[in-house]
Amino acid sequence: MRILLCSLALVVAAMTAGCGSSSSSGSSSGQNSSGSTTASPHLLTPGQITVGIEPYGPPFQIPPMSHPTGFEISVVEDIVKKLGLQQSDIKWMHVPFGKVVFPGPKQWDMDIDDFTVTPQRAQVVDFSDSYLDTNAGVLVSKSGKGANVTSIADLKQLQLCAQSKTTDLDYITNTIKPAKAPLEYPSTPLANEAVIAGVCDAELNDLPIVEDAVSKSKGKLEAVGQIDTGEHLGIVFAKGNPLRDQVNQALAAMKADGSLEALQKKWFSKDLAIPTLQ
Amino acid sequence: MLRSRGFWISTASTVVFLVVIAVLLLTAPGIHNLHEGLFSVQDMRAALPSVWDGFKINLKMMAIAEVLVLICALGVAILRGLPGPAAFPLRVVAIVYTDVFRGLPTILVAIFIGLGFPSLGLSVISTQSPFTYGVVTLTLVYSAYVAEVYRAGIESVHQSQTAAARSLGLSYSQTLRFVILPQAVRRVIPPLVNDFIGLQKDTALVFFIGVIEALQAAQDYANVTYNLSGLTVAGLLFIAITIPFTRLVDYLVKRDRRRTQAAG
């Protein structure tokens, strides 16, 4: 029975890897599974799921570290329930970016932190299926130069900025190609502050983050548009970690029963109708 | 003969030392992880162009800030040493300035200036580039350190020097200019170099106010590829500047000492 389950998991793994991100499973050495072959979730510590986060980005993750909240936290809590564990079995761990991508054994089972799936990144880590499909939002100050933006071409003449670790900087440099070199800030609050101060005319960030910033800015900030970047956010696993397939099944179930959509409705403001820039 | 024996002993001990370190490192069970994550030659090569572009910003920033720091810090040190009751407020200003800016974390100063100044809406102060705000930040922070270095140098010159100069009819400023400072500055060159190396490394902190310098460029490479080897490139570039800089100053100090002693 156990062998049957294992081979089933392997087949599922092969299938999802095949239709998911390209070239991800070819060289997976599986050094992290450390030989545990139980049918229950593959975890570093049995009965406890260690989840890496960096809770500084509302509405995805909201501090404090001891009791984080936010959309991604809710997603993980739902996944964990679907895996047959309790909410109290989750151990949140602060994992900075460098530790997420550094090769070698990981101290966490999975890591969720607003990671956009790209083929290049998928050569280093494994991603789950998408738990959120999103676009980039354009955040400007209501009294600034960015307030009149109506097209992507308008952005070229402005001082643009992004937050580091996002794919938006890459988009600015390689697709928008602005006249001035973009600025980059280590955190969302600093980038938003730069927009308010007028150092940066327009910030690109994930649409939910932009909407959240607008709703908290007391009328200072505005979302002038979204750019159809078609990003998929995925949960990160060590290469070859079989937990990914179980998480993917949980995500599929959450999509089927509507609970994932309910979480998006709960955490993201939906009253802002933001035009798509061309 | 004795000298060549010493040479061979030091060479042998150095070789043994390096071999021990190399063996310890290379036999570590996770060495391939380190190699892949931080020292991947392919990634280092790929990251080099953008990291080098960023490093040019660090270089420009250190060059400008170091000159400004040398000038501003001297001014602060002189203010602090001014004699007489009338100069009391100036001394207080100098003391408060050094206390505050040595105490504040550089990142905080960078954020206050880089994001605070533009939001004031003033004409000149609020319209500078993040690069300029970075230079201002480093100048403010490091002038506080270097002013104290200067002060230590000035106070290390024996009081009889001042007394002698004044009795020869030199004014206070002439005494400072021709007698005290030339001796004081020579003595504090090694600690000055120390502070300058600190400043060179702290140019990386301006990424908090948006400037994409070497470390941030390396971080961006890591962000696209999920490989951190660009950081190693940035580290090598910094070392490639600071080590020759230190050796050059050592050489200059030595040459200067030989000259002054020969003249004396």
Side-chain angles (χ1 to χ4, degrees):
Chain A
M1 183 59 193
R2 189 171 273 187
I3 294 167
L4 185 73
L5 272 175
C6 277
S7 52
L8 196 70
L10 270 177
V11 170
V12 173
M15 281 165 63
T16 44
C19 60
S21 44
S22 60
S23 74
S24 61
S25 68
S27 64
S28 65
S29 51
Q31 44 179 286
N32 268 81
S33 53
S34 63
S36 74
T37 48
T38 42
S40 53
H42 297 262
L43 301 172
L44 295 175
T45 316
Q48 175 184 289
I49 183 159
T50 310
V51 184
I53 52 172
E54 253 193 304
Y56 310 117
F60 287 101
Q61 296 182 11
I62 302 162
M65 190 60 221
S66 52
H67 298 285
T69 51
F71 170 68
E72 289 180 332
I73 305 299
S74 298
V75 168
V76 170
E77 285 169 351
D78 267 25
I79 289 173
V80 165
K81 270 181 222 154
K82 293 248 175 354
L83 292 177
L85 293 162
Q86 302 298 313
Q87 200 168 315
S88 56
D89 296 330
I90 306 174
K91 184 189 165 200
W92 302 111
M93 182 188 256
H94 181 257
V95 181
F97 173 79
K99 274 194 166 172
V100 176
V101 303
F102 204 79
K106 314 283 191 208
Q107 292 155 327
W108 35 269
D109 293 298
M110 57 191 209
D111 192 285
I112 187 164
D113 188 13
D114 192 7
F115 291 120
T116 300
V117 181
T118 70
Q120 212 170 357
R121 290 169 164 188
Q123 289 175 6
V124 180
V125 294
D126 280 352
F127 287 103
S128 73
D129 294 339
S130 173
Y131 59 87
L132 183 69
D133 301 327
T134 182
N135 281 336
V138 182
L139 183 70
V140 303
S141 162
K142 264 188 184 161
S143 53
K145 280 189 230 163
N148 303 321
V149 166
T150 53
S151 70
I152 294 179
D154 288 347
L155 291 172
K156 280 185 200 214
Q157 300 311 317
L158 297 177
Q159 174 65 66
L160 302 179
C161 67
Q163 186 192 335
S164 56
K165 296 191 298 180
T166 66
T167 43
D168 301 308
L169 187 84
D170 203 36
Y171 186 84
I172 292 175
T173 338
N174 295 320
T175 310
I176 300 182
K177 297 190 178 106
K180 282 187 207 158
L183 301 172
E184 185 178 11
Y185 295 90
S187 72
T188 309
L190 280 175
N192 295 351
E193 198 54 46
V195 175
I196 293 173
V199 185
C200 163
D201 298 327
E203 171 193 339
L204 261 68
N205 213 326
D206 285 329
L207 194 56
I209 292 178
V210 166
E211 291 173 333
D212 188 71
V214 170
S215 68
K216 285 181 188 155
S217 73
K218 298 180 187 123
K220 283 186 201 157
L221 294 172
E222 183 182 9
V224 281
Q226 55 179 305
I227 297 173
D228 187 14
T229 47
E231 292 164 60
H232 307 291
L233 304 188
I235 301 170
V236 167
F237 301 88
K239 269 248 166 260
N241 186 348
L243 178 64
R244 177 176 81 151
D245 306 312
Q246 292 160 321
V247 167
N248 277 346
Q249 285 167 13
L251 277 172
M254 286 165 67
K255 281 173 193 165
D257 66 15
S259 54
L260 192 59
E261 208 187 330
L263 288 181
Q264 292 170 6
K265 282 209 175 109
K266 179 185 167 194
W267 287 103
F268 303 148
S269 34
K270 55 225 166 275
D271 38 330
L272 291 165
I274 299 170
T276 304
L277 300 180
Q278 298 297 331
Chain B
M1 201 55 210
L2 203 66
R3 192 171 164 190
S4 84
R5 188 165 156 250
F7 171 78
W8 287 114
I9 293 176
S10 68
T11 308
S13 74
T14 309
V15 169
V16 169
F17 176 72
L18 289 178
V19 166
V20 168
I21 299 264
V23 167
L24 275 179
L25 266 178
L26 293 175
T27 57
I31 185 67
H32 61 280
N33 293 325
L34 188 68
H35 185 253
E36 201 183 309
L38 275 174
F39 297 100
S40 147
V41 175
Q42 187 196 340
D43 284 291
M44 286 167 74
R45 204 170 284 161
L48 181 62
S50 64
V51 175
W52 172 247
D53 278 349
F55 192 64
K56 284 192 268 190
I57 293 179
N58 296 88
L59 282 177
K60 211 165 127 190
M61 198 170 268
M62 43 181 101
I64 300 174
E66 279 172 7
V67 173
L68 291 176
V69 164
L70 275 179
I71 298 166
C72 296
L74 186 60
V76 174
I78 290 173
L79 279 188
R80 188 156 179 182
L82 282 180
F88 178 73
L90 293 177
R91 288 198 296 271
V92 169
V93 167
I95 290 170
V96 169
Y97 165 75
T98 44
D99 283 358
V100 169
F101 281 92
R102 279 194 307 170
L104 281 176
T106 311
I107 290 178
L108 272 189
V109 181
I111 293 174
F112 283 151
I113 290 173
L115 295 175
F117 279 19
S119 58
L120 290 175
L122 296 169
S123 61
V124 179
I125 292 175
S126 302
T127 53
Q128 301 302 316
S129 68
F131 176 87
T132 310
Y133 291 127
V135 171
V136 171
T137 301
L138 291 171
T139 307
L140 279 175
V141 170
Y142 276 87
S143 293
Y145 286 110
V146 172
E148 286 298 279
V149 172
Y150 274 132
R151 188 168 73 98
I154 290 170
E155 287 181 356
S156 78
V157 178
H158 199 270
Q159 294 211 327
S160 60
Q161 299 274 331
T162 316
R166 296 306 295 269
S167 70
L168 285 173
L170 270 68
S171 69
Y172 178 77
S173 60
Q174 283 171 326
T175 308
L176 206 58
R177 163 76 185 80
F178 297 110
V179 180
I180 308 298
L181 285 181
Q183 301 183 67
V185 169
R186 275 204 184 90
R187 286 180 196 177
V188 298
I189 287 174
L192 272 183
V193 170
N194 229 5
D195 278 337
F196 276 174
I197 290 175
L199 185 151
Q200 289 170 4
K201 293 190 291 187
D202 273 1
T203 52
L205 294 179
V206 297
F207 88 87
F208 265 82
I209 52 175
V211 181
I212 302 179
E213 45 67 61
L215 277 187
Q216 188 59 45
Q219 172 77 44
D220 289 340
Y221 180 82
N223 180 42
V224 172
T225 60
Y226 277 18
N227 185 290
L228 300 171
S229 300
L231 293 171
T232 309
V233 176
L236 290 175
L237 288 176
F238 272 99
I239 282 188
I241 289 299
T242 50
I243 292 182
F245 175 69
T246 321
R247 290 291 91 81
L248 175 73
V249 176
D250 279 354
Y251 165 75
L252 291 176
V253 168
K254 224 178 243 172
R255 198 184 63 172
D256 179 65
R257 193 169 299 152
R258 234 181 287 133
R259 254 194 217 157
T260 46
Q261 279 167 2

